[in-house]
Protein backbone atom coordinates (compact mmCIF):
# COMPACT_ATOMS: atom_id res chain seq x y z
CA UNK A 1 0.00 0.00 0.00
CA UNK A 2 1.25 3.50 -0.79
CA UNK A 3 1.87 6.06 1.90
CA UNK A 4 -0.89 8.44 2.91
CA UNK A 5 -0.03 11.99 1.80
CA UNK A 6 -1.39 14.92 3.81
CA UNK A 7 -1.10 18.48 2.45
CA UNK A 8 0.36 20.69 5.18
CA UNK A 9 0.99 23.97 3.34
CA UNK A 10 -0.43 24.98 -0.03
CA UNK A 11 1.56 27.17 -2.40
CA UNK A 12 -0.26 30.23 -1.03
CA UNK A 13 0.33 29.13 2.59
CA UNK A 14 4.03 28.71 1.81
CA UNK A 15 4.20 32.18 0.24
CA UNK A 16 2.53 33.76 3.30
CA UNK A 17 4.86 31.83 5.62
CA UNK A 18 7.97 33.05 3.78
CA UNK A 19 6.63 36.62 3.92
CA UNK A 20 6.05 36.31 7.68
CA UNK A 21 9.51 34.82 8.25
CA UNK A 22 11.16 37.61 6.24
CA UNK A 23 9.29 40.20 8.33
CA UNK A 24 10.47 38.52 11.52
CA UNK A 25 14.08 38.55 10.32
CA UNK A 26 13.85 42.25 9.44
CA UNK A 27 12.35 43.02 12.84
CA UNK A 28 14.98 41.08 14.77
CA UNK A 29 17.92 42.33 12.70
CA UNK A 30 17.06 46.05 12.95
CA UNK A 31 20.43 47.86 12.76
CA UNK A 32 22.25 44.67 11.67
CA UNK A 33 20.06 44.20 8.57
CA UNK A 34 22.84 45.42 6.27
CA UNK A 35 25.21 42.88 7.83
CA UNK A 36 23.03 39.83 7.22
CA UNK A 37 24.11 37.02 4.89
CA UNK A 38 21.74 34.15 4.13
CA UNK A 39 23.23 30.67 3.71
CA UNK A 40 20.90 28.02 2.39
CA UNK A 41 21.76 24.44 3.34
CA UNK A 42 21.73 22.10 0.33
CA UNK A 43 19.28 21.25 -1.15
CA UNK A 44 16.02 23.06 -0.44
CA UNK A 45 17.52 25.57 1.97
CA UNK A 46 19.05 27.37 -1.02
CA UNK A 47 15.85 28.27 -2.93
CA UNK A 48 14.20 29.02 0.41
CA UNK A 49 17.03 31.46 1.24
CA UNK A 50 16.61 33.05 -2.20
CA UNK A 51 12.87 33.51 -1.60
CA UNK A 52 13.59 35.10 1.79
CA UNK A 53 16.17 37.45 0.27
CA UNK A 54 13.66 38.51 -2.41
CA UNK A 55 11.06 39.18 0.26
CA UNK A 56 13.50 41.16 2.44
CA UNK A 57 14.44 43.24 -0.60
CA UNK A 58 10.75 43.80 -1.32
CA UNK A 59 10.10 44.89 2.28
CA UNK A 60 13.22 46.96 2.89
CA UNK A 61 14.74 47.76 -0.50
CA UNK A 62 17.95 46.08 0.62
CA UNK A 63 19.73 43.37 -1.34
CA UNK A 64 20.87 40.59 0.99
CA UNK A 65 23.70 38.26 -0.11
CA UNK A 66 22.65 34.61 -0.47
CA UNK A 67 25.02 31.66 -0.46
CA UNK A 68 24.84 27.88 -0.60
CA UNK A 69 26.34 25.64 2.07
CA UNK A 70 27.19 21.99 1.55
CA UNK A 71 27.71 20.08 4.80
CA UNK A 72 28.57 16.63 3.43
CA UNK A 73 32.09 16.52 4.89
CA UNK A 74 30.89 17.76 8.29
CA UNK A 75 28.20 15.12 8.86
CA UNK A 76 28.59 12.53 11.60
CA UNK A 77 25.81 10.27 10.35
CA UNK A 78 26.87 9.24 6.83
CA UNK A 79 27.02 5.62 8.01
CA UNK A 80 23.31 5.84 8.82
CA UNK A 81 22.04 7.97 5.93
CA UNK A 82 24.35 6.62 3.23
CA UNK A 83 26.90 8.26 0.97
CA UNK A 84 26.19 11.72 -0.38
CA UNK A 85 27.60 13.49 -3.42
CA UNK A 86 29.09 16.79 -2.27
CA UNK A 87 27.56 19.91 -3.78
CA UNK A 88 29.17 23.29 -4.32
CA UNK A 89 29.45 25.69 -1.39
CA UNK A 90 29.17 29.31 -2.45
CA UNK A 91 29.89 32.02 0.08
CA UNK A 92 29.26 35.42 -1.58
CA UNK A 93 30.79 37.60 1.17
CA UNK A 94 33.27 37.38 4.02
CA UNK A 95 31.26 36.05 6.95
CA UNK A 96 33.48 37.65 9.60
CA UNK A 97 31.50 40.15 11.63
CA UNK A 98 28.24 39.39 9.81
CA UNK A 99 24.97 37.99 11.06
CA UNK A 100 24.66 34.67 9.24
CA UNK A 101 21.17 33.33 8.78
CA UNK A 102 21.31 29.57 8.17
CA UNK A 103 18.25 28.52 6.19
CA UNK A 104 16.91 24.97 5.94
CA UNK A 105 13.60 23.46 4.93
CA UNK A 106 13.05 20.98 7.80
CA UNK A 107 14.69 20.52 11.19
CA UNK A 108 14.49 17.04 12.65
CA UNK A 109 17.35 15.63 14.76
CA UNK A 110 19.49 18.78 14.63
CA UNK A 111 22.48 16.97 13.12
CA UNK A 112 22.29 18.88 9.83
CA UNK A 113 22.39 22.18 11.70
CA UNK A 114 25.31 21.03 13.86
CA UNK A 115 27.20 20.17 10.69
CA UNK A 116 26.31 23.53 9.16
CA UNK A 117 27.59 25.37 12.23
CA UNK A 118 30.92 23.59 11.89
CA UNK A 119 31.07 24.39 8.18
CA UNK A 120 30.31 28.10 8.66
CA UNK A 121 33.34 28.56 10.89
CA UNK A 122 35.62 27.47 8.05
CA UNK A 123 34.52 30.63 6.20
CA UNK A 124 34.98 33.23 8.92
CA UNK A 125 33.86 34.19 12.40
CA UNK A 126 30.35 35.66 12.21
CA UNK A 127 29.05 38.16 14.74
CA UNK A 128 26.06 35.84 15.21
CA UNK A 129 24.47 32.81 13.58
CA UNK A 130 20.70 32.53 13.46
CA UNK A 131 18.70 29.54 12.26
CA UNK A 132 15.57 29.76 10.14
CA UNK A 133 13.57 26.65 9.20
CA UNK A 134 10.34 26.31 7.30
CA UNK A 135 9.19 23.22 9.24
CA UNK A 136 10.17 22.08 12.75
CA UNK A 137 9.06 18.47 13.11
CA UNK A 138 10.60 17.79 16.53
CA UNK A 139 12.60 14.71 17.56
CA UNK A 140 15.77 16.66 18.36
CA UNK A 141 18.87 14.66 19.28
CA UNK A 142 20.95 17.78 19.93
CA UNK A 143 20.18 20.97 21.88
CA UNK A 144 19.49 23.06 18.78
CA UNK A 145 16.47 25.32 18.40
CA UNK A 146 15.55 27.56 15.44
CA UNK A 147 15.37 31.33 15.90
CA UNK A 148 12.66 31.51 13.20
CA UNK A 149 10.16 28.76 12.42
CA UNK A 150 7.55 28.76 9.70
CA UNK A 151 5.46 25.93 11.14
CA UNK A 152 5.82 23.50 14.02
CA UNK A 153 4.58 20.13 12.83
CA UNK A 154 4.57 17.31 15.38
CA UNK A 155 5.34 14.07 13.56
CA UNK A 156 6.00 10.43 14.23
CA UNK A 157 9.59 9.32 13.63
CA UNK A 158 8.58 7.16 10.66
CA UNK A 159 6.73 9.95 8.88
CA UNK A 160 8.40 12.06 6.20
CA UNK A 161 7.99 15.80 5.62
CA UNK A 162 8.46 16.82 1.99
CA UNK A 163 9.01 20.48 1.18
CA UNK A 164 8.31 21.21 -2.47
CA UNK A 165 9.69 24.38 -4.02
CA UNK A 166 9.11 25.66 -7.52
CA UNK A 167 12.83 25.91 -8.24
CA UNK A 168 13.60 22.27 -7.37
CA UNK A 169 10.26 20.48 -7.65
CA UNK A 170 8.16 22.45 -10.11
CA UNK A 171 5.59 23.45 -7.48
CA UNK A 172 5.35 24.91 -3.98
CA UNK A 173 3.90 23.15 -0.96
CA UNK A 174 4.60 20.99 2.06
CA UNK A 175 3.40 17.41 2.44
CA UNK A 176 3.44 14.89 5.26
CA UNK A 177 3.92 11.30 4.13
CA UNK A 178 2.56 8.75 6.59
CA UNK A 179 3.68 5.14 6.13
CA UNK A 180 1.15 2.64 4.92
CA UNK A 181 -0.27 0.43 7.64
Amino acid sequence: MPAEVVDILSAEDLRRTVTRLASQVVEKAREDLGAIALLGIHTRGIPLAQLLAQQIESLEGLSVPVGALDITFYRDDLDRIGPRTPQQTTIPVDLSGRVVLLVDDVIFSGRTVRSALNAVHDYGRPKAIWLLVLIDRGHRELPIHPDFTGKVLPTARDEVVKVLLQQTDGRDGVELWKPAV
Side-chain angles (χ1 to χ4, degrees):
M1 270 180 87
E4 176 189 356
V5 179
V6 179
D7 288 324
I8 302 300
L9 293 178
S10 67
E12 183 60 25
D13 294 334
L14 194 138
R15 185 197 59 76
R16 278 196 298 273
T17 301
V18 168
T19 299
R20 178 176 48 80
L21 288 167
S23 296
Q24 291 173 349
V25 169
V26 167
E27 188 175 316
K28 182 175 179 175
R30 295 186 191 137
E31 66 275 352
D32 285 330
L33 192 57
I36 283 188
L38 278 64
L39 291 182
I41 300 172
H42 273 284
T43 295
R44 284 172 183 76
I46 298 165
L48 191 55
Q50 292 165 341
L51 289 171
L52 285 162
Q54 290 168 3
Q55 190 60 38
I56 290 170
E57 185 168 4
S58 172
L59 292 169
E60 296 296 310
L62 177 69
S63 180
V64 179
V66 178
L69 188 64
D70 178 68
I71 60 162
T72 302
F73 297 119
Y74 298 89
R75 296 195 73 105
D76 66 355
D77 57 355
L78 288 175
D79 59 331
R80 187 178 59 80
I81 64 172
R84 297 280 192 253
T85 302
Q87 303 296 314
Q88 183 173 356
T89 290
T90 307
I91 308 294
V93 292
D94 182 4
L95 299 182
S96 298
R98 287 196 174 263
V99 175
V100 172
L101 183 61
L102 286 176
V103 180
D104 205 4
D105 57 347
V106 178
I107 187 168
F108 182 45
S109 68
R111 293 189 176 281
T112 295
V113 175
R114 187 217 38 93
S115 300
L117 290 169
N118 289 343
V120 164
H121 286 287
D122 280 352
Y123 296 97
R125 188 180 186 288
K127 175 182 178 181
I129 301 174
W130 298 341
L131 175 62
L132 182 147
V133 299
L134 184 61
I135 304 292
D136 181 347
R137 61 172 293 195
H139 303 286
R140 218 73 83 241
E141 296 172 6
L142 300 170
I144 292 173
H145 185 76
D147 298 284
F148 307 96
T149 304
K151 182 170 185 62
V152 175
L153 180 65
T155 62
R157 279 194 160 284
D158 61 349
E159 294 174 331
V160 175
V161 175
K162 291 194 176 191
V163 173
L164 305 164
L165 297 171
Q166 186 68 40
Q167 190 174 341
T168 54
D169 306 294
R171 67 184 176 102
D172 290 330
V174 176
E175 301 173 341
L176 176 65
W177 289 51
K178 298 181 176 200
V181 279

